[in-house]
Amino acid sequence: MAIIKPFRALRPQPALAKQVAARPYDVLNSGEAAAEAAGNPNSFYHVSKSEIDLPEGTDIHSEAVYAKAAENLQKLRESGTLFHEETPCYYIYKLVMDGRSQTGLVCVSSIGDYNNGIIKKHEFTRPEKEQDRINHITATRAQTGNVFLAYEDVPELNAIIDHWQQQHAPAYDFTAEDGISHTIWVIDTAETGDQITQLFAEKVPATYIADGHHRAASAALVQKASGEPIDSEANLNYFLTTIFPASQLAILDYNRLVKDLNGHSKEAFLSSLEYDFTVEAVGHHEQKPSMLHEFSMYLDGTWYRLVAREGTYTTDPIGILDVTILQNNVLDKLLGIKDPRTDKRIDFVGGIRGLGELVKRVNSGEMKVAFALYPVTIQQLFDIADSGNVMPPKSTWFEPKLRDGLLTHLI
């Protein structure tokens, strides 16, 4: 069963929360972070993307960047912009995007659970990305990036969280520049906190990483290197998480662009597709897939509807995924892309950018063909994690994103 705890968050003064809040470090580049932080000394980008305060061209993985992150975090504390909660608390975090809301519980989760598989994974991690986060955690002595977890709904937990929101005023409530609203409540009574801890211990057999595999892996590696016994209550034996009930989550599509047709003419490519798909030209208007195993393809100004034929996929948790069907029957078989992680001829576009981004990049001549996929479902993600398998790369895109800087876990 899942072990979680309340914690003493490092968090901003209420009047400064919007100034502090920053998008996750890995969804924007250094230039974008510098632009968003311009004129705002309270922005958490000074911690999460601290290269913005160093000379242009500085290696973002250099020791100077991590040292600057630690220095800037200390400045935010010394200025009073950030303060350390006096007692351990749970936090409720509600996000609203385009009229759809999702509400999660911010807590710290057990690294022991991560190590023994109670916290389940569905992606491989890359050593160089792990090392970046290890260096950042070690320098700042803080987990500044949140790991996004999901769990099967527990009605009693939902009821407690709903009741607290109705009965208490939020600590933070603002709408960011991108239109996403962020509201946070502080659960500061021991009685309610104990109820939540007990319910997770009794009713939640597993949690699932939705987003933040590298942040979780890095926290575990920092703990391991410390030599601290895993069963102690030390802060570094836990890592910062926000846990959402599955019913509130939506996964967006994660689409593909390819630079060329691997030597095929347009006509030969379309003909070859018909071995594994029904192929129907649907015109010039954007066409989103409406169901699993249906794909939309944009080629030479025309959208096509592709439906996978029976026999082109298996029914195991990985084989049935649309990303697998596309990879095996199109990207590999016809376009010669064996490893989408490393092949420079393929690119990936999160569904948050819409199909217009695919059209723009094909029409510009940068890319030759685009494929839009039906989103992976939460149940598919759970099934794969439960089976011990991992998804193909770039399978899931979650929105909205949690903001960094609102709740930090000090180790």
Side-chain angles (χ1 to χ4, degrees):
M1 293 295 184
I3 299 172
I4 66 166
K5 290 200 320 180
F7 69 106
R8 295 175 59 207
L10 181 69
R11 62 187 184 92
Q13 299 292 344
L16 301 176
K18 185 174 180 178
Q19 292 180 36
V20 170
R23 291 192 287 155
Y25 76 97
D26 54 354
V27 303
L28 74 172
N29 61 36
S30 303
E32 291 168 332
E36 290 194 20
N40 178 10
N42 293 325
S43 171
F44 206 73
Y45 289 125
H46 296 292
V47 177
S48 62
K49 302 285 287 183
S50 55
E51 67 270 16
I52 67 176
D53 296 322
L54 293 171
E56 188 174 348
T58 298
D59 180 358
I60 64 172
H61 299 127
S62 66
E63 184 177 339
V65 170
Y66 303 115
K68 192 66 174 177
E71 176 189 331
N72 288 344
L73 182 61
Q74 185 61 27
K75 283 181 179 178
L76 289 173
R77 297 183 68 177
E78 290 174 352
S79 70
T81 299
L82 301 180
F83 70 95
H84 198 191
E85 199 85 70
E86 291 187 2
T87 59
C89 300
Y90 285 118
Y91 304 86
I92 299 169
Y93 192 158
K94 178 181 178 181
L95 303 100
V96 181
M97 174 181 167
D98 297 333
R100 187 185 68 81
S101 69
Q102 61 186 57
T103 303
L105 180 76
V106 188
C107 59
V108 289
S109 293
S110 165
I111 285 175
D113 280 1
Y114 177 86
N115 291 341
N116 65 25
I118 288 176
I119 297 173
K120 296 180 180 288
K121 318 159 188 69
H122 70 266
E123 286 184 5
F124 286 125
T125 53
R126 291 163 50 188
E128 68 274 16
K129 294 187 72 174
E130 290 176 352
Q131 191 60 53
D132 170 58
R133 288 302 90 191
I134 289 169
N135 293 344
H136 196 274
I137 293 170
T138 302
T140 61
R141 305 308 298 167
Q143 297 158 355
T144 62
N146 215 309
V147 178
F148 177 174
L149 301 181
Y151 67 98
E152 296 279 6
D153 283 56
V154 176
E156 298 95 324
L157 283 168
N158 293 346
I160 289 173
I161 289 171
D162 289 346
H163 181 74
W164 191 274
Q165 292 176 80
Q166 293 164 12
Q167 298 298 316
H168 298 83
Y172 308 133
D173 188 8
F174 64 90
T175 299
E177 297 303 322
D178 56 7
I180 298 172
S181 71
H182 303 262
T183 310
I184 292 177
W185 291 260
V186 180
I187 300 178
D188 54 4
T189 66
E191 180 182 3
T192 301
D194 290 345
Q195 287 179 320
I196 291 171
T197 304
Q198 191 65 26
L199 279 169
F200 267 87
E202 294 176 352
K203 302 276 189 177
V204 181
T207 58
Y208 299 79
I209 299 179
D211 197 7
H213 283 79
H214 289 93
R215 295 188 283 278
S218 301
L221 290 168
V222 169
Q223 189 283 331
K224 182 179 180 180
S226 74
E228 179 73 30
I230 194 67
D231 57 354
S232 81
E233 290 300 304
N235 282 354
L236 57 71
N237 286 350
Y238 293 81
F239 64 106
L240 180 63
T241 59
T242 301
I243 312 181
F244 291 90
S247 64
Q248 297 195 21
L249 300 179
I251 302 176
L252 300 187
D253 44 312
Y254 217 147
N255 302 315
R256 275 80 171 129
L257 289 153
V258 181
K259 289 182 180 294
D260 57 70
L261 297 182
N262 196 32
H264 296 285
S265 67
K266 171 185 170 182
E267 293 72 23
F269 180 64
L270 290 170
S271 178
S272 296
L273 283 171
E274 292 181 348
Y275 286 103
D276 297 312
F277 302 86
T278 62
V279 181
E280 175 190 2
V282 294
H284 304 297
H285 298 293
E286 294 178 2
Q287 175 83 13
K288 286 182 72 72
S290 61
M291 61 182 183
L292 289 171
H293 309 337
E294 177 183 309
F295 305 82
S296 295
M297 180 179 74
Y298 185 68
L299 175 64
D300 280 355
T302 299
W303 283 98
Y304 296 83
R305 178 175 179 262
L306 312 180
V307 180
R309 299 185 188 275
E310 289 189 14
T312 59
Y313 53 89
T314 60
T315 57
D316 64 271
I318 296 294
I320 203 168
L321 291 175
D322 284 353
V323 286
T324 304
I325 295 169
L326 185 71
Q327 176 60 37
N328 291 345
N329 297 291
V330 181
L331 300 179
D332 183 352
K333 182 178 179 180
L334 300 181
L335 298 178
I337 296 172
K338 303 295 183 184
D339 186 353
R341 295 175 187 275
T342 59
D343 198 306
K344 302 302 184 185
R345 295 167 53 229
I346 189 170
D347 198 9
F348 305 88
V349 176
I352 190 67
R353 294 183 178 271
L355 298 190
E357 180 71 9
L358 304 182
V359 171
K360 181 179 75 173
R361 294 182 66 181
V362 171
N363 286 352
S364 72
E366 176 197 359
M367 295 291 184
K368 181 63 177 176
V369 62
F371 300 93
L373 287 76
Y374 191 76
V376 171
T377 67
I378 291 290
Q379 190 57 54
Q380 285 179 316
L381 185 154
F382 284 3
D383 289 345
I384 288 167
D386 285 339
S387 72
N389 287 303
V390 295
M391 286 187 176
K394 310 294 186 182
S395 294
T396 58
W397 184 281
F398 284 91
E399 287 286 350
K401 303 289 188 187
L402 302 164
R403 288 303 199 260
D404 286 351
L406 296 176
L407 299 164
T408 293
H409 180 225
L410 300 177
I411 65 167

